[in-house]
Amino acid sequence: MPATTISKAQREQGHARIFDLGQQPLRELNQALHQLTPGSNETAWEVLNPKGSHSVAVGVDQPVAVDVRGSVGYYCGGMNAGGAITVHGSAGPGVGENMMSGSIVVKGDASQYAGATGRGGLLVIEGNASSRCGISMKGIDIVVHGNVGHMSAFMAQSGNLVVLGDAGDALGDSIYEARLFVRGKVGSLGADCIAKEMRPEHLELLQGLLDRAGVTGVKAAEFKRYGSARTLYNFNIDNADAY
Amino acid sequence: MCGIVGLFLKDKALEPKLGAMLSEMLICLTDRGPDSAGIAIYGAATGNEAKITIQSPKPERDFHGLDVELAKAINAPVSVAVKSTHALIRTTPEKVEPARVALRSLRPDVRIMGAGEAVEIYKEVGLPEAVVERFDVRSMTGTHGIGHTRMATESAVTTLGAHPFSTGADQCLVHNGSLSNHNNVRRELVREGMKFETENDTEVAAAYLSSKIAHGKNLGEALEGTLSDLDGFFTFVVGTKNGFGVVRDPIACKPAVMAETEQYVAFGSEYRALANLPGIENAKVWEPEPATVYFWEH
């Protein structure tokens, strides 16, 4: 939906604080978000005309809802702690990078390294994600409705990556303890990443993630689990080629 | 970083706006590369006219009287339109090579930016906004074009180090990334007889494509070859007389976004370069896959 079609009535009904990036500089938006204190009544925010801007709603650290009406550039929602950010469009590279908690929902597609190094919270991409989705993830949960590109979950350390579609080449290359659930095809597995048994606790965990991400009509049993074979944890000269 | 843009028009109604659209796309990406900027714009080829874009460090000296001297030297009609440090020479297609030879003796300091039936190339050091103003790019019309805003990594900040690089008739290339085996590839191409103006890695990529095409490959095949023969990071956007192509290396670190509507195909390093194009809300927008050649032709 184009940003300009949101009616005044709709805005007032939601009591959202509106930032139009066509009129106001991005710095004002981020500064206003950073100045929020615990218990603030300004819990609903709406961002219009992002037009691919970088760093939209970076560093949110209060439990507020931010609706971004359009597509964003690099690092949207980076370092998010507690915010519920929704991008009603597509996201550029590094959406939700180093997220701590809260949630980010991208209604469209996401570019490279979505959720990189994320430590917590939930990142949902309703379209496809590009290469290196969840690279070096450290506790974040990522649910991608579509496909993910090559080298996703590269060096992932902790957390869960759920892919309803297909994964590209070298999935989970050099992975540590993160869990990867893929419903579709996997192009190829990266170094030290293997298919693993789906035990009851994994089915339960995955079902919970699907529920939290608003996924319906898809069963946890339809997924395969992948994770680390743990052969690269300690340097062994016999494995030199795999590092 | 570097920023690259490209626009291939399908709708003739947009042709008068090509320069203005490309200019805005390029200026959007200024912070990806503030060192220099350049554009190549393809006007419709008439078949009986060739264009040579030249550049001089001393335009007042070198462009004065050039039309008369060059016409005499190649024994053909010549027009010279000066635009700041550049000039566009128009002559007949069969006189392009004689004109190149004549220029070397008439004006030894003049550099040829590009030549062909359709392409004009303007590039200089400075911010994209300044380069666009200097060459009045906004007023240019055409069928397709590519542009580049450079953050210098592999070679000096000079006019010649700016992109696009053109090493064959109506061929040109812009590059985001850096090549690690360019010296080796350059040596091989020099052995084949290719000539280089700079130490720039991108010029090697342009010359590589020209060499493959000279050996009978089509542009698609030549672009495929870059995936195995060029090492490093790259997103290349190329223009030909009637075509527009894109390829990314297999790792695909360098960003790329494309959009297609019934009116155009557009390329940008970032989405914001495309955000003001007409009908972008309903365009098909996607990231080109790594190691995959995309190509459109009129």
Side-chain angles (χ1 to χ4, degrees):
Chain A
M1 176 167 56
T4 46
T5 64
I6 299 164
S7 73
K8 194 162 174 280
Q10 275 175 304
R11 291 177 194 177
E12 283 171 1
Q13 197 180 10
H15 302 293
R17 190 160 163 196
I18 314 234
F19 262 87
D20 184 346
L21 292 181
Q23 311 286 329
Q24 294 160 281
L26 174 74
R27 191 173 290 263
E28 271 180 27
L29 166 70
N30 285 341
Q31 229 155 30
L33 286 166
H34 297 169
Q35 280 164 358
L36 286 171
T37 49
S40 166
N41 285 329
E42 290 182 314
T43 54
W45 295 67
E46 201 162 302
V47 182
L48 308 181
N49 294 312
K51 294 198 169 186
S53 299
H54 296 176
S55 311
V56 173
V58 153
V60 171
D61 70 348
Q62 296 297 329
V64 295
V66 183
D67 281 276
V68 185
R69 305 281 172 186
S71 293
V72 293
Y74 283 63
Y75 307 123
C76 177
M79 300 178 282
N80 179 39
I85 297 165
T86 306
V87 178
H88 300 266
S90 290
V95 60
E97 182 165 293
N98 210 55
M99 175 150 72
M100 304 302 285
S101 61
S103 67
I104 299 176
V105 178
V106 179
K107 295 286 182 184
D109 298 326
S111 184
Q112 309 176 90
Y113 46 96
T117 77
R119 288 173 177 270
L122 176 68
L123 170 63
V124 179
I125 292 151
E126 296 192 357
N128 301 308
S130 178
S131 61
R132 295 173 273 275
C133 179
I135 183 171
S136 195
M137 51 196 280
K138 296 177 171 72
I140 190 174
D141 293 320
I142 304 174
V143 179
V144 181
H145 288 215
N147 307 323
V148 296
H150 63 284
M151 294 202 90
S152 287
F154 174 48
M155 291 188 82
Q157 289 151 57
S158 169
N160 302 289
L161 172 64
V162 180
V163 182
L164 277 72
D166 302 333
D169 284 329
L171 175 71
D173 194 81
S174 304
I175 186 173
Y176 292 86
E177 289 306 298
R179 287 168 292 262
L180 316 180
F181 301 99
V182 183
R183 182 156 158 259
K185 297 186 293 290
V186 171
S188 61
L189 292 173
D192 216 27
C193 185
I194 56 169
K196 290 187 160 181
E197 180 195 2
M198 196 70 143
R199 295 196 298 268
E201 69 263 33
H202 301 120
L203 289 167
E204 192 185 334
L205 170 80
L206 177 54
Q207 193 57 57
L209 284 165
L210 292 170
D211 293 345
R212 280 170 60 209
V215 176
T216 54
V218 174
K219 294 190 188 74
E222 295 169 29
F223 291 74
K224 278 189 179 161
R225 180 168 74 102
Y226 303 88
S228 177
R230 299 174 183 139
T231 55
L232 301 180
Y233 265 44
N234 301 298
F235 183 75
N236 178 340
I237 191 66
D238 295 336
N239 295 330
D241 288 345
Y243 287 104
Chain B
M1 293 232 277
C2 295
I4 47 184
V5 296
L7 187 58
F8 177 83
L9 300 179
K10 302 180 191 173
D11 181 356
K12 283 193 172 301
L14 288 178
E15 289 181 8
K17 297 181 189 156
L18 180 75
M21 291 164 85
L22 258 185
S23 297
E24 291 318 309
M25 293 168 75
L26 197 63
I27 291 166
C28 253
L29 298 184
T30 297
D31 54 8
R32 293 193 68 87
D35 292 334
S36 61
I39 57 117
I41 284 193
Y42 292 81
T46 59
N48 51 22
E49 185 183 68
K51 302 190 253 191
I52 307 169
T53 317
I54 58 172
Q55 182 268 355
S56 165
K58 288 196 175 167
E60 309 81 10
R61 177 199 65 191
D62 281 343
F63 298 157
H64 183 73
L66 180 61
D67 49 352
V68 177
E69 289 177 59
L70 191 58
K72 194 176 161 200
I74 65 173
N75 193 24
V78 166
S79 77
V80 176
V82 176
K83 268 193 188 182
S84 183
T85 53
H86 288 44
L88 185 68
I89 300 172
R90 291 172 196 266
T91 183
T92 51
E94 68 276 9
K95 291 293 183 183
V96 169
E97 275 317 304
R100 275 182 192 272
V101 174
L103 277 168
R104 273 202 288 274
S105 54
L106 291 173
R107 298 288 190 275
D109 293 336
V110 153
R111 304 294 187 115
I112 293 174
M113 301 281 106
E117 290 181 29
V119 76
E120 293 177 34
I121 296 178
Y122 299 95
K123 58 186 188 182
E124 267 299 352
V125 294
L127 293 173
E129 173 97 60
V131 173
V132 160
E133 293 287 333
R134 185 173 204 166
F135 299 113
D136 194 18
V137 177
R138 286 191 182 90
S139 71
M140 293 180 76
T141 67
T143 51
H144 56 295
I146 63 178
H148 186 272
T149 175
R150 178 169 187 238
M151 184 171 283
T153 53
E154 286 286 306
S155 69
V157 180
T158 61
T159 299
L160 290 179
H163 304 208
F165 279 93
S166 180
T167 51
D170 280 317
Q171 293 167 31
C172 70
L173 174 146
V174 290
H175 170 207
N176 179 17
S178 55
L179 303 177
S180 48
N181 66 338
H182 61 101
N183 283 327
N184 223 15
V185 176
R186 184 187 289 108
R187 270 195 292 277
E188 288 167 14
L189 292 169
V190 166
R191 205 173 300 135
E192 280 183 24
M194 301 289 291
K195 297 219 168 12
F196 289 85
E197 298 252 11
T198 71
E199 294 296 307
N200 191 287
D201 57 337
T202 305
E203 188 182 11
V204 174
Y208 172 89
L209 293 181
S210 297
S211 161
K212 291 290 168 202
I213 289 165
H215 283 90
K217 300 249 195 268
N218 65 35
L219 183 68
E221 292 164 340
L223 287 170
E224 287 284 348
T226 64
L227 296 167
S228 47
D229 293 343
L230 299 183
D231 190 21
F233 297 118
F234 55 85
T235 294
F236 293 135
V237 176
V238 298
T240 64
K241 187 158 73 177
N242 54 355
F244 172 71
V246 174
V247 67
R248 300 170 83 192
D249 70 75
I251 304 289
C253 278
K254 293 298 171 186
V257 185
M258 303 201 67
E260 184 167 14
T261 70
E262 286 181 359
Q263 288 187 293
Y264 58 81
V265 179
F267 176 97
S269 292
E270 297 178 25
Y271 174 78
R272 64 194 164 119
L274 314 178
N276 290 321
L277 290 174
I280 191 74
E281 307 80 27
N282 301 313
K284 176 190 166 202
V285 177
W286 79 102
E287 274 190 16
E289 294 287 327
T292 305
V293 173
Y294 296 81
F295 198 70
W296 288 263
E297 271 184 332
H298 278 125

